[in-house]
Amino acid sequence: MTDNQAKTSGRRFARTARRQRKTVPTPAYVKRRIPFYEYLDEEGLTALEDQAEWLMQEIGIEFRGDPEALRLWKEAGADIKDTRVRLPRGMARQLCKTIPGRFTQTARNPARSVEIGGDNQVFACVYGPPFVLDMEGGRRYGSIRDFEKLVKIAYSLPSIHHTGFVICEPCDIPVSKRHLDMLYLHMRYSDKPFLGAITEKSRAQDCVDMARILFGREFMENHCVILGNVNTNSPLMVDKVVTEAAQVYCGAGQGLIAAPFILSGAMGPVTTAAAIAQALAEAMAVGAFTQLVREGAPFILGNFLSSMSLKSGAPTFGMPEPVMSNFVIGQLARRLGVPLRCGGSLTASKLPDAQAAAESADSMFSTILAGAHFVLHSAGWLEGGLVTGYEKLVQDADRLAAYQILLGGMPMDENAMARSAYFEVEPSGHFLGSGHTLANYETAFFESSLSDNDSFEQWQERGAPDSRQRAFERWNALLDDYEAPPMDEAKNEELLEFVRKRKSELPDAWY
């Protein structure tokens, strides 16, 4: 493709993006109107719940590094021996009853607030990769410049409802300080909901303090505006990163997401049923702990089960076993009455290619059918989570927009039945010019921002761009069109001053 062809094609996609923002409804989250997929019968679900209870009571779960966590468990009546916590059968489930089945995370733009739980589904960005990849710059360590660009792109994509937090690691900023820059960029360049840091207690506290500046201390007393996302240290260990994050976020009336990260055959048994039961036990124990910190605190039960290559030890994605786990954990979370988090467009592929498309589609489709309320890694994931792909981000977002139509269900009203059209069109005629078609042609079908449906000759005249090239043009056009959401200048200055002050107090640390 020549430079002129690329520019022409880029302008075309920019016009498409502008047109879509003007004509296509962009809800803040998905309101699901189709049934949940029920994979296991009652006998199977009961067996998994019994296994989880057995693990918590007989084997126990380690809570290491945080004496305050052990104190809270002891006061609640758990059996404590050293750092091993054993929960009597039914104790965790009883504590989880005070977890809200649905709650709202308020965005700084109230129109973008998301409701998590019930029949709602929220799509959030990839989280955590240290590397980024795009067609122009190749694979490289993420930088603060990459981070800012990715936040802006995610903000510009209507099918991404939540920008998450570590959309990539800005590796050119000290670890001890980067959480401040990351959260500020989420707050300044997007008005969608976001997560906060969890890697160290003071960093979590910094994020809560910044949220208080943005939303106001009094407002935060009664509203969830920020969540922390943690992983258990499978198998059967909860470290102080998790419990201290729970104390900071839940203690402030905010929320926590806890997802066991289990590679079956490594951090859990090789059999899928046992791995699911272990994940349920670990996540339930963390959910119960949040309620010891503050009864009624928002909590999302997470699930991240992956199969692995038993030859190389590498994780595999889009395989039937983790797809099964998504379906089943969805059923178990609904029985527990708590919101669910699952992974999204997951792949082991190094490029946004056919492997990435197939694995991501299978992972994401099972996630939406299972009824995950909060979907992390919905867009941008590559190389087993090591890489955030610029092109992959917009490719995935395009499919999320399609899934949103699917989840909305099929209209069955008078217009949908189209009876008037049959009076207008004779048998063996066609409907292309009918009044019903003309009235519905802008909204009748989903229109992809990236799929090429032109003739071969038209496609060839544009330089024969493949999917990756079209995605490259799309994200560049989004950045060209980007306009920052308005922000109160006094709050912006207060946030900048907080960041400056905290950075001056913290030594540079790169670990």
Side-chain angles (χ1 to χ4, degrees):
M1 175 181 283
T2 67
D3 289 345
N4 285 337
Q5 287 173 324
K7 289 177 182 177
T8 300
S9 186
R11 285 194 293 271
R12 173 174 173 264
F13 280 113
R15 288 194 297 271
T16 300
R18 285 192 289 270
R19 185 174 69 250
Q20 287 181 333
R21 285 201 292 270
K22 291 177 181 176
T23 62
V24 178
T26 56
Y29 55 93
V30 179
K31 186 71 176 176
R32 183 192 186 97
R33 302 188 189 282
I34 64 172
F36 298 106
Y37 189 79
E38 304 290 335
Y39 190 82
L40 273 189
D41 59 17
E42 177 67 24
E43 182 180 0
L45 295 170
T46 300
L48 290 174
E49 290 170 337
D50 179 72
Q51 173 85 348
E53 293 286 355
W54 175 80
L55 284 169
M56 287 186 285
Q57 177 172 281
E58 300 300 327
I59 306 301
I61 296 177
E62 287 284 316
F63 277 77
R64 292 184 190 169
D66 184 1
E68 176 63 11
L70 295 174
R71 184 189 69 79
L72 288 171
W73 277 123
K74 186 173 183 180
E75 285 186 359
D79 177 21
I80 312 290
K81 185 174 182 180
D82 296 326
T83 55
R84 185 71 60 95
V85 176
R86 291 180 173 83
L87 307 181
R89 180 173 290 267
M91 180 182 182
R93 187 169 291 269
Q94 183 64 33
L95 286 168
C96 286
K97 286 183 177 180
T98 57
I99 295 171
R102 59 198 299 170
F103 66 93
T104 298
Q105 184 182 355
T106 304
R108 76 173 176 92
N109 176 358
R112 297 190 185 276
S113 299
V114 294
E115 188 169 328
I116 299 171
D119 294 328
N120 308 307
Q121 293 191 268
V122 174
F123 297 145
C125 288
V126 62
Y127 186 111
F131 300 100
V132 296
L133 171 74
D134 73 78
M135 283 190 69
E136 190 171 66
R139 185 183 187 274
R140 60 193 183 277
Y141 279 107
S143 67
I144 197 66
R145 182 170 178 269
D146 286 308
F147 191 95
E148 181 177 325
K149 288 163 66 175
L150 289 164
V151 168
K152 290 176 177 178
I153 294 168
Y155 165 72
S156 302
L157 292 165
S159 58
I160 293 178
H161 312 124
H162 195 292
T163 53
F165 188 57
V166 191
I167 197 167
C168 77
E169 285 281 2
C171 297
D172 52 345
I173 305 293
V175 172
S176 55
K177 299 177 180 180
R178 68 178 61 158
H179 64 287
L180 299 163
D181 294 300
M182 289 192 289
L183 187 55
Y184 172 75
L185 292 174
H186 278 289
M187 289 177 165
R188 179 64 189 92
Y189 293 115
S190 169
D191 59 7
K192 295 180 179 181
F194 48 77
L195 303 174
I198 52 87
T199 51
E200 201 274 331
K201 189 174 184 179
S202 67
R203 296 169 196 165
Q205 188 62 57
D206 285 340
C207 293
V208 169
D209 291 342
M210 289 176 70
R212 287 195 176 113
I213 292 171
L214 185 64
F215 291 94
R217 181 177 295 271
E218 186 175 342
F219 185 85
M220 275 183 64
E221 283 298 315
N222 299 300
H223 298 84
C224 177
V225 303
I226 189 168
L227 301 161
N229 177 72
V230 297
N231 297 112
T232 57
N233 198 339
S234 304
L236 303 176
M237 204 263 272
V238 176
D239 59 27
K240 71 174 184 176
V241 170
V242 175
T243 55
E244 289 182 347
Q247 290 165 60
V248 172
Y249 286 101
C250 298
Q254 304 307 295
L256 193 73
I257 309 164
F261 184 5
I262 299 175
L263 295 182
S264 296
M267 293 93 91
V270 74
T271 50
T272 301
I276 292 172
Q278 179 185 312
L280 178 62
E282 292 177 12
M284 276 180 65
V286 177
F289 179 76
T290 66
Q291 301 309 291
L292 297 181
V293 173
R294 181 161 173 164
E295 187 174 305
F299 175 76
I300 302 174
L301 182 142
N303 173 61
F304 196 105
L305 266 65
S306 176
S307 51
M308 64 181 292
S309 168
L310 295 178
K311 295 179 181 178
S312 68
T316 53
F317 300 98
M319 301 300 128
E321 294 81 12
V323 165
M324 279 188 269
S325 78
N326 283 337
F327 289 141
V328 175
I329 206 73
Q331 292 178 272
L332 293 168
R334 286 192 292 277
R335 286 159 70 94
L336 188 60
V338 302
L340 171 67
R341 179 220 130 171
C342 285
S345 302
L346 311 178
T347 179
S349 180
K350 316 306 179 284
L351 295 171
D353 56 10
Q355 177 187 343
E359 292 175 353
S360 294
D362 284 349
S363 296
M364 190 68 200
F365 200 59
S366 66
T367 292
I368 66 165
L369 288 183
H373 301 106
F374 185 85
V375 186
L376 203 59
H377 313 306
S378 291
W381 170 292
L382 279 173
E383 203 178 318
L386 289 175
V387 171
T388 297
Y390 279 74
E391 288 81 32
K392 181 69 157 43
L393 182 67
V394 295
Q395 288 174 329
D396 289 337
D398 188 59
R399 302 321 303 161
L400 295 179
Y403 288 137
Q404 192 157 300
I405 302 297
L406 174 67
L407 287 164
M410 184 171 66
M412 297 295 291
D413 57 7
E414 183 179 347
N415 177 68
M417 293 305 181
R419 288 188 177 183
S420 63
Y422 292 99
F423 290 104
E424 191 178 348
V425 178
E426 292 293 327
S428 82
H430 67 77
F431 291 84
L432 284 176
S434 72
H436 182 267
T437 299
L438 293 175
N440 287 275
Y441 82 96
E442 287 188 323
T443 58
F445 303 119
F446 169 73
E447 183 180 351
S448 168
S449 300
L450 291 179
S451 295
D452 187 298
N453 301 302
D454 292 340
S455 69
F456 177 82
E457 290 75 18
Q458 290 171 318
W459 171 72
Q460 194 171 48
E461 286 174 6
R462 291 192 292 106
D466 61 13
S467 175
R468 190 181 182 194
Q469 179 66 42
R470 295 194 297 272
F472 174 79
E473 294 161 2
R474 170 82 166 127
W475 69 257
N476 276 283
L478 289 172
L479 285 178
D480 288 342
D481 269 4
Y482 172 83
E483 294 180 9
M487 186 178 196
D488 179 82
E489 190 53 37
K491 287 186 180 294
N492 186 41
E493 286 299 322
E494 192 174 355
L495 284 167
L496 287 171
E497 179 56 32
F498 179 90
V499 171
R500 282 192 289 266
K501 182 175 183 298
R502 285 293 292 137
K503 280 189 167 184
S504 70
E505 296 167 347
L506 296 168
D508 286 356
W510 294 93
Y511 54 90

